[in-house]
Amino acid sequence: MEYAELVKLLEETVKIPIYGVLGKLRNNLIYLATSEGEISIYALVNGKSVKLTKSPIAVTTRPKSNLDFIPFARDVEKGKEIHAVYIANLKGEEFQIESPRVRISSLAYDSKRIVLTGSSQSETSIYVIENGKLSKLTTIPPFSFVTDINEKCIIGSGVLKGNPRSQEFFIINFSGEMQVLTPKEGSVTNAYYLMGNKVYLISDYETLGESYWVYTYDIESKEYKRVEIPIEFKPVEIYYDPEDSLVIAKRDGESRLFDNGKEIKTPRGTISGATRIGDEIYFSHSSLVSPYKIYKANREGKTEIVVDNRKVDMGELDYVKLKTDVDVPAWVIKRKVPGSTIIYVHGGPWSEVDNSWDLLIAPLVLAGYNVIAPNYRGSTGYGSRFMLMNIGDPGGGDLRDVVKVRDYAVESGIANKVGIMGYSYGGYMTLLAVGKEASKWDFGIAGAAVADWVEMYDLSDSLFRGFMEILFNGKNIELMRERSPITYASNVKVPLCIIHSQNDTRTPLSPVMRYVQELHKNGKTYEFHVIPNLGHAIYKVEDAIDLLLPALIFLKKLNRG
């Protein structure tokens, strides 16, 4: 493939729209899309898509069905994730409102107020915007998020009791008085929906570490109650919409949709949002080999495509579980012949590669590479015990899982060359892997990587210092240093492509520049690409091209050589 063809392929691939159903406003479908090259909020009005936001958005929330507007946050400092709050309405009008200049990580609203969590260098706080006026309600633990409000209170969740292996929920009134609650100590519990006096929870408290279910907490009686959902499928993760009686149930990286207990037949893959409008149910869906589409299903369960997408030839998709001291699930996308194989490591680390369209994986496959994407310990989607396994051990057991997947690629004959690639925490794992397991790889590609946890901690704001204190089970400077890729830079044996954004405030550039200096001092082979005026998040198609093109050119040069 010539360079011009490579650029064309990349542009065409990243322009394939991403869709995600958010909910509804006044019986109009509201969804996220990248149809015009940037992440925006759209409405489906009288069968036509209407763009509600004027430029890329960063943070949004579940729309309130009885209202005609939705708040969102936009990055206003060139990728540095300092946000301002806006509202957009069904007329396509957009208004900026008074808001703090902080990193906003969550939003919720009703007809009178918008509440948000915002992090500065020194603290994370809940702010309230009412009648156009901003006030700070209270400070909260840094890794906490608001999810819903009503006229009496705010709910949300986070690591609230100092135990990084549990999550609790909170209820705060508008005087700033806060209750921290849990149905069982040590459980992972998230409050996500308010209906009258009931708080809807997703928790693993009855099956600790194994799977989640839906419960309610009655604010007045203080009683917890399991929500009886009549489905035969046994999920590991579940979401229940009490307003629409819809369930999205998930296990082994794929999800199913249920309407009042009856399954709606969907293609194999992952559902990324659903809502009921009248007698019809709208949902967004994709797989690793099929881009996003929006469907609607009628009361008989018959589905049709409402918003279509391109068809692509992505190769053969397999799902395997490999054994270390745990089962490591992995998705395998194979081209027609054995060749260069990329072990793609997802970010987070509390995230996953499920069977849904992936903006970073698709261009690699379409360019001709086999891709294997492991869900290492610390991934979501396989129960809270699995998710919490890397707390106090980042770059330990999770790295062993990734190496096991690499060995599988070689031993099964999928790969003749095998490299590692990732973004954010995946970029961190890439740099650590080529330093600590140097003989295992033929190349590495690291985007937005963590190179030095200690320096990153010093540079971070309250939210990301809180994140690191959870991940490392405290401010464990010695472990941070021992698990930092810069400690092993002199061990690197293979060519590296390092791609980083100038304005990244989650994984700052400065430690990566020091890592590159260590590579240079030790005579290593590397490319280093700094993308100007871009941050950690990918808001536009052009952002994805800036980040992926150096990687694809690097891979082409390796294969040519």
Side-chain angles (χ1 to χ4, degrees):
M1 187 179 292
E2 299 300 323
Y3 286 109
E5 295 175 291
L6 195 64
V7 173
K8 182 180 178 183
L9 179 144
L10 177 58
E11 286 184 321
E12 289 177 347
T13 305
V14 299
K15 285 180 180 178
I16 295 172
I18 293 170
Y19 303 121
V21 166
L22 291 174
K24 56 186 174 284
L25 294 173
R26 301 277 174 86
N27 284 326
N28 296 282
L29 178 69
I30 304 298
Y31 64 98
L32 289 175
T34 58
S35 305
E36 296 182 28
E38 58 189 26
I39 300 175
S40 301
I41 301 173
Y42 287 76
L44 195 66
V45 181
N46 298 321
K48 293 184 179 180
S49 293
V50 178
K51 187 179 179 186
L52 301 186
T53 52
K54 300 188 186 329
S55 57
I57 69 165
V59 184
T60 188
T61 187
R62 175 175 55 84
K64 292 295 181 84
S65 61
N66 61 316
L67 302 177
D68 65 355
F69 70 95
I70 183 172
F72 63 93
R74 177 175 289 138
D75 187 327
V76 291
E77 292 200 9
K78 296 182 178 180
K80 294 179 181 177
E81 296 189 84
I82 301 300
H83 299 108
V85 177
Y86 298 74
I87 59 171
N89 63 28
L90 287 170
K91 297 177 182 178
E93 298 169 327
E94 182 186 290
F95 305 95
Q96 184 175 352
I97 57 180
E98 184 180 359
S99 54
R101 285 300 192 268
V102 292
R103 186 194 303 274
I104 294 173
S105 52
S106 61
L107 288 165
Y109 77 117
D110 64 8
S111 61
K112 297 179 180 179
R113 304 179 181 96
I114 298 170
V115 299
L116 60 95
T117 53
S119 298
S120 65
Q121 290 299 116
S122 59
E123 64 183 22
T124 296
S125 303
I126 293 179
Y127 295 85
V128 178
I129 304 168
E130 185 173 8
N131 296 322
K133 294 183 179 180
L134 172 71
S135 61
K136 184 167 74 172
L137 184 63
T138 186
T139 58
I140 55 173
F143 214 66
S144 308
F145 309 93
V146 296
T147 51
D148 205 359
I149 68 170
N150 62 19
E151 67 280 0
K152 295 179 180 179
C153 63
I154 303 164
I155 65 166
S157 306
V159 178
L160 303 172
K161 291 192 172 184
N163 178 2
R165 291 181 174 84
S166 70
Q167 293 179 32
E168 296 76 34
F169 71 101
F170 61 78
I171 301 173
I172 299 177
N173 65 25
F174 289 97
S175 298
E177 298 167 332
M178 178 174 177
Q179 300 176 67
V180 174
L181 301 158
T182 182
K184 186 174 185 178
E185 293 297 329
S187 65
V188 174
T189 299
N190 293 292
Y192 70 99
Y193 206 105
L194 262 172
M195 184 176 281
N197 287 320
K198 289 184 178 178
V199 180
Y200 280 80
L201 312 169
I202 295 172
S203 178
D204 69 347
Y205 88 90
E206 289 188 303
T207 53
L208 281 178
E210 299 301 324
S211 61
Y212 297 90
W213 198 253
V214 182
Y215 305 87
T216 58
Y217 172 76
D218 190 297
I219 295 174
E220 291 185 349
S221 69
K222 302 185 177 358
E223 291 179 343
Y224 295 93
K225 185 177 180 180
R226 183 183 174 100
V227 177
E228 296 304 324
I229 301 173
I231 59 174
E232 294 182 7
F233 180 67
K234 294 187 189 238
V236 172
E237 292 187 346
I238 189 167
Y239 174 79
Y240 172 65
D241 183 333
E243 181 180 344
D244 289 345
S245 298
L246 295 176
V247 171
I248 299 174
K250 187 174 183 182
R251 70 177 301 122
D252 290 330
E254 296 182 323
S255 54
R256 300 185 187 185
L257 178 61
F258 297 85
D259 172 17
N260 285 304
K262 181 182 177 182
E263 183 171 2
I264 296 172
K265 295 301 180 184
T266 65
R268 182 186 176 191
T270 301
I271 294 151
S272 54
T275 194
R276 186 191 305 277
I277 299 177
D279 290 334
E280 295 172 323
I281 294 165
Y282 291 78
F283 62 94
S284 46
H285 178 280
S286 71
S287 74
L288 280 162
V289 294
S290 176
Y292 285 90
K293 299 181 182 71
I294 296 178
Y295 297 79
K296 69 176 177 181
N298 62 21
R299 63 169 58 186
E300 285 77 38
K302 183 180 178 182
T303 61
E304 63 177 280
I305 297 170
V306 177
V307 183
D308 207 346
N309 215 326
R310 266 183 55 192
K311 292 181 180 178
V312 293
D313 178 13
M314 287 284 287
E316 179 186 341
L317 178 65
D318 289 329
Y319 178 73
V320 297
K321 285 189 177 181
L322 307 174
K323 191 75 175 176
T324 57
D325 53 314
V326 298
D327 287 334
V328 183
W331 293 98
V332 183
I333 311 176
K334 291 187 287 189
R335 304 305 288 168
K336 293 178 181 177
V337 295
S340 290
T341 296
I342 297 165
I343 308 302
Y344 175 83
V345 187
H346 68 73
W350 304 308
S351 179
E352 68 173 307
V353 174
D354 57 12
N355 191 13
S356 64
W357 187 255
D358 193 295
L359 181 66
L360 298 181
I361 291 176
L364 302 173
V365 176
L366 291 172
Y369 303 99
N370 303 311
V371 174
I372 306 180
N375 284 303
Y376 52 82
R377 69 192 75 189
S379 301
T380 55
Y382 297 89
S384 59
R385 182 178 293 112
F386 191 79
M387 179 188 73
L388 299 170
M389 278 183 176
N390 64 352
I391 289 180
D393 188 36
D398 49 9
L399 179 57
R400 292 197 300 275
D401 296 343
V402 170
V403 171
K404 177 66 176 181
V405 173
R406 176 266 173 209
D407 292 344
Y408 162 79
V410 173
E411 292 162 6
S412 64
I414 296 171
N416 54 29
K417 280 186 178 179
V418 62
I420 181 169
M421 175 178 174
Y423 190 85
S424 193
Y425 193 85
Y428 158 67
M429 291 285 282
T430 296
L431 295 186
L432 190 68
V434 297
K436 290 193 77 173
E437 298 284 352
S439 63
K440 293 285 186 178
W441 312 100
D442 293 302
F443 58 88
I445 304 170
V450 177
D452 184 341
W453 288 107
V454 178
E455 186 176 0
M456 177 176 158
Y457 185 89
D458 291 339
L459 294 170
S460 290
D461 62 13
S462 169
L463 178 66
F464 281 94
R465 284 198 304 273
F467 158 75
M468 281 181 274
E469 288 173 6
I470 293 169
L471 183 61
F472 283 89
N473 197 16
K475 187 180 175 181
N476 192 334
I477 297 299
E478 286 307 309
L479 184 61
M480 289 181 186
R481 187 171 290 114
E482 192 263 318
R483 297 294 169 87
S484 291
I486 198 166
T487 305
Y488 309 98
S490 62
N491 298 341
V492 174
K493 297 179 180 178
V494 297
L496 270 178
C497 177
I498 299 170
I499 307 162
H500 214 94
S501 297
Q502 177 185 2
N503 292 340
D504 194 328
T505 57
R506 299 194 205 183
T507 56
L509 176 61
S510 296
V512 176
M513 293 179 72
R514 288 203 308 112
Y515 176 86
V516 169
Q517 288 175 333
E518 288 297 308
L519 294 178
H520 189 70
K521 184 172 69 176
N522 285 281
K524 307 301 179 180
T525 301
Y526 66 91
E527 295 182 7
F528 183 35
H529 303 267
V530 178
I531 313 301
N533 295 322
L534 192 63
H536 194 88
I538 300 173
Y539 301 130
K540 300 180 182 179
V541 164
E542 289 88 348
D543 300 346
I545 293 172
D546 286 344
L547 292 164
L548 284 165
L549 186 57
L552 290 176
I553 292 174
F554 172 78
L555 288 166
K556 177 178 172 56
K557 288 187 289 188
L558 284 179
N559 283 297
R560 183 182 63 196

